[in-house]
Amino acid sequence: MNADCIIKTNDLCKFYKGGAIKALNGVSAEINKGEVVVVIGPSGSGKSTFLRSLNLLELPTSGSIMFDGNEITDPKVNINIHRQKMGMVFQHFNLFPHMTILKNMTVAPMKLLKMSKEDAEAKAMQLLERVGLADRANTYPSQLSGGQKQRVAIVRALCMNPEVMLFDEPTSALDPEMVGEVLAVMKQLAEEGMTMVVVTHEMGFAKEVADRVIFMDEGVIVESGTPEQIFDNPQNDRTKLFLSKVL
Amino acid sequence: MEWFNNWINKLHETFIVGDRYMTLIEGFEKTLIITFGALIIGVIIGTIVAMIKVFAHNSPKSRILKVLDVIMNIYLTVIRGTPVVVQLLISFFIIFISAKDGTWVAMLTFGINSGAYVAETIRSGIMAIDPGQMEAGRSLGFSNIQTMWLIILPQAFKNILPAIGNEMIALLKETSVAGYVAVVDLTKAGNQIKNTTYDQINPILLVALVYLVMVMLFTWLIGLLERRLRKSER
């Protein structure tokens, strides 16, 4: 494992119904520090399962995951500690509807990092400022549009100072006119050097922002390379077929 | 209007002479104490039982949870499978045999009984929360229990508050059997007055009226609460 590598999966498998359904069928991948990796593939290809297993929201059937030098798939490991360093953004935002935006963002740093209320709120406000939502700090999630909710979800994860950000189809539930504002925040994050793993259908984003693109199908990594390699010169027939449908 | 005057005289004789109305007021207090005490105990027990059942459902591999789940199922089956009066008799005459004041025994018994019914309400309230909420909590680094406490339960309680209110109404009426274990609650107080005054009608009707007014009041309050909740953030 090279020094820059922050996540390394080894032969990751996830089977359902006793092996009848193979969502992941031996996925080995490395994510380096500061790298933006975009995972693409047809629906049911296992790309979301792969992403969700990186912080063990899906428990792999077999295989191992190294994160920051620790094997987090070891049952003895306290996964909660490691999840603090892996921010996650969901397709459906999953903001906490009973808390204000500010509380959504400060609850985890205060309870888990033992940050003071003042520090947590100052950090939250600073992040909200960055995504242009500082004036919404004291409103509830239901009062925001989808794009605003997702921007809040991103900064909520950032409040924990994560080393990696995982994005699970962050724009798939958005109205088309709101996709851009969310992608802009993600792009800015990438430019600041955040390590990101992004599952998305936004090929434009993949081309523009990704350092590396992984194409998955039927639970395996079919092809992986720079955006140019994957989009302009795909080697595998399945990659070609998929790209011909989405581009 | 002679019958009316007669009736007023009768009421005076029954309730005012010998300050017998005080028995009713004390009984009313006992009924309220038992009801609210039992409700609190019931909600605490119900929450714990519901959480164990949900956790056991979510992580089928855990042995400890499996054992706890079996124990909870036994509790639910026994409590829901026997009449509350019988449970009260068992509590008072078999388990808490040395208890002098039946009030606490009654409160505890009704609480344990209510917990079995509240548990199902709370469990369905928890299950109704989007699983994404648990995932979001866990992804931030909260444990299962922290996520449940900080994120799931507050939302679940908001949804089931009206159902808890209805449980309170049911409890209020159920506690009328507390007289079985020497507790002078509202019903028992009315019955005592009936026995001392030989007035077969008025004490019982008054007791009924008090229950009715209480239930109507609670129903109105729950309705108010429901409208309030519907209007808020969600």
Side-chain angles (χ1 to χ4, degrees), chain B residues 23 26-28 30-31 103 178-179 182-190 192:
Chain B
T23 320
E26 278 162 24
F28 178 66
K30 278 249 163 80
T31 290
T103 310
V183 177
V184 185
D185 71 323
L186 181 58
T187 305
K188 185 81 173 185
Q192 280 183 352

Side-chain angles (χ1 to χ4, degrees), chain B residues 51-100:
Chain B
M51 275 171 69
I52 289 172
K53 291 201 74 68
V54 170
F55 285 145
H57 178 262
N58 289 348
S59 35
K61 279 180 191 156
S62 164
R63 280 248 176 82
I64 306 161
L65 283 173
K66 195 154 233 170
V67 171
L68 286 173
D69 190 46
V70 169
I71 295 171
M72 293 307 122
N73 282 339
I74 294 171
Y75 160 72
L76 293 175
T77 308
V78 170
I79 295 297
R80 293 199 286 201
T82 52
V84 69
V85 181
V86 177
Q87 291 166 15
L88 203 58
L89 294 174
I90 290 172
S91 279
F92 193 68
F93 293 110
I94 299 174
I95 300 172
F96 299 106
I97 195 152
S98 58
K100 290 196 185 68

